[in-house]
Amino acid sequence: MMNEAAILAGENVCSYEDIDKACELGYNLPMGPLKLADAIGIDVMIEVMESLYQETADSKYRPAHLYKVLYRAGRLGRKSGKGFYDYTK
């Protein structure tokens, strides 16, 4: 779900907030998938997705391009102060 949410976000289907809110309300989750990715760490998400993709060869596990964009920008999530969201405020 977190990879699919990042794919939607990267395609500008809707805002990060809307994706998270839809998942929180629709699946009764305590936090949305993009907030959770920020909590885990974008770098960790890439490693996990790449590992799953290599093991299964299933394209649904190929890391979302937006993860790599955020990683290259140093936006690793809460640990760096910015990821999908800005935590420096």
Side-chain angles (χ1 to χ4, degrees):
M1 179 186 297
M2 293 182 339
N3 201 44
E4 291 174 6
I7 291 168
L8 287 174
E11 293 174 351
N12 295 312
V13 171
C14 55
S15 71
Y16 302 158
E17 293 85 1
D18 287 343
I19 292 169
D20 279 340
K21 183 61 88 176
C23 291
E24 289 167 12
L25 295 174
Y27 295 109
N28 196 28
L29 298 174
M31 75 173 62
L34 302 177
K35 289 179 191 172
L36 183 56
D38 274 353
I40 292 169
I42 301 303
D43 52 337
V44 175
M45 288 301 304
I46 291 171
E47 289 293 323
V48 168
M49 297 311 301
E50 285 179 348
S51 177
L52 287 169
Y53 179 60
Q54 289 173 4
E55 286 293 318
T56 65
D58 189 334
S59 62
K60 74 180 175 187
Y61 295 119
R62 184 178 301 125
H65 178 70
L66 185 53
Y67 283 140
K68 294 180 180 187
V69 170
L70 292 171
Y71 178 80
R72 286 186 208 116
R75 295 179 65 140
L76 304 179
R78 287 190 172 272
K79 66 174 111 186
S80 69
K82 292 183 181 179
F84 288 100
Y85 296 96
D86 184 346
Y87 301 96
T88 60
K89 301 173 191 169

